[in-house]
Amino acid sequence: DAGVIQSPRHEVTEMGQEVTLRCKPISGHNSLFWYRQTMMRGLELLIYFNNNVPIDDSGMPEDRFSAKMPNASFSTLKIQPSEPRDSAVYFCASSLSNGEAFFGQGTRLTVV
Amino acid sequence: SQQGEEDPQALSIQEGENATMNCSYKTSINNLQWYRQNSGRGLVHLILIRSNEREKHSGRLRVTLDTSKKSSSLLITASRAADTASYFCAPPIFRNSGNTPLVFGKGTRLSVIA
């Protein structure tokens, strides 16, 4: 298995633009997590899905952020409109229930 | 929140020395996981220790768990420059539904000097 695949690896966008981050979890994993990492706040859990269903999105910073998981092999995290303070590295991870989480390489987002 | 809190925040040692990192958490768990992150990369799972285990080994890694004190430690023996990374502990959050997302603290930044 290729592991968790995220795209793009790097994204530079202008303030106000829509940004879509993509994630392909490991086949067979039933849980998917989106995290954001910054120097100031560390690694924050944004939202997680279990069997494609969003379970807890209390970590999503505001309504500009949304996430979907239309099927077991794909998830998106969308920011609309983006702001400079959204600049961070966004990680996707997947796991089996109560098992170890496997992380993607992350998307480094820069909003100018 | 249930996130693990690592101590120290930063640790600098010479190659060949042992490195010990500690983790404290707040509520009951059935397992605790340790992860490593190299600069600019995603987290990599190192080891999982269950609540009925007191100690677990994996290569040069030794993890202990004291559920009465709600604490864990990660020991890296005979450290190498390649061990330079940030290390995180992750106690799962329990939900009634049984889902257990991992919540991470700030980690310990380990620097091994050759």
Side-chain angles (χ1 to χ4, degrees):
Chain A
D1 200 315
V4 176
I5 300 173
Q6 291 186 245
S7 64
R9 290 293 307 277
H10 302 274
E11 176 82 27
V12 179
T13 190
E14 290 185 347
M15 182 174 64
Q17 297 297 306
E18 176 180 298
V19 175
T20 299
L21 311 181
R22 297 173 175 78
C23 175
K24 182 180 187 306
I26 292 174
S27 177
H29 282 188
N30 59 348
S31 294
L32 183 140
F33 312 88
W34 282 101
Y35 292 88
R36 175 173 72 175
Q37 187 175 36
T38 61
M39 288 294 293
M40 290 295 294
R41 294 186 296 271
L43 199 61
E44 304 171 278
L45 176 65
L46 299 178
I47 184 172
Y48 74 99
F49 296 82
N50 209 50
N51 295 320
N52 312 339
V53 176
I55 302 301
D56 186 348
D57 65 353
S58 59
M60 298 283 260
E62 45 197 277
D63 293 345
R64 297 184 297 105
F65 286 69
S66 62
K68 294 182 180 179
M69 191 165 187
N71 56 62
S73 59
F74 184 65
S75 176
T76 60
L77 177 68
K78 185 178 292 186
I79 308 172
Q80 166 64 18
S82 57
E83 297 182 3
R85 60 195 168 118
D86 301 331
S87 297
V89 181
Y90 291 80
F91 288 103
C92 174
S94 70
S95 76
L96 292 169
S97 294
N98 301 326
E100 65 177 276
F102 291 81
F103 281 74
Q105 291 300 300
T107 295
R108 182 174 297 277
L109 173 65
T110 303
V111 183
V112 298
Chain B
S1 68
Q2 170 63 326
Q3 71 186 59
E5 294 184 7
E6 296 88 355
D7 174 69
Q9 291 186 2
L11 180 61
S12 183
I13 61 174
Q14 296 289 325
E15 200 166 34
E17 294 180 338
N18 296 341
T20 299
M21 290 158 270
N22 302 298
C23 168
S24 60
Y25 57 93
K26 294 178 182 175
T27 64
S28 297
I29 58 172
N30 70 351
N31 71 65
L32 185 142
Q33 303 180 36
W34 282 89
Y35 287 78
R36 161 193 167 131
Q37 183 181 33
N38 287 81
S39 180
R41 301 295 206 91
L43 276 72
V44 174
H45 181 266
L46 293 177
I47 199 165
L48 182 153
I49 186 166
R50 303 194 186 282
S51 60
N52 61 353
E53 298 175 307
R54 289 294 172 261
E55 188 172 308
K56 197 165 184 178
H57 296 255
S58 177
R60 292 183 297 111
L61 305 181
R62 173 182 165 239
V63 168
T64 63
L65 179 64
D66 186 336
T67 53
S68 66
K69 295 181 180 178
K70 292 186 171 57
S71 66
S72 175
S73 67
L74 170 67
L75 169 68
I76 303 174
T77 60
S79 63
R80 305 167 182 168
D83 294 328
T84 295
S86 290
Y87 292 83
F88 299 85
C89 71
I93 298 175
F94 280 99
R95 311 276 186 192
N96 290 336
S97 62
N99 298 295
T100 53
L102 300 176
V103 177
F104 297 89
K106 296 289 181 65
T108 292
R109 292 186 305 279
L110 173 65
S111 298
V112 181
I113 302 167

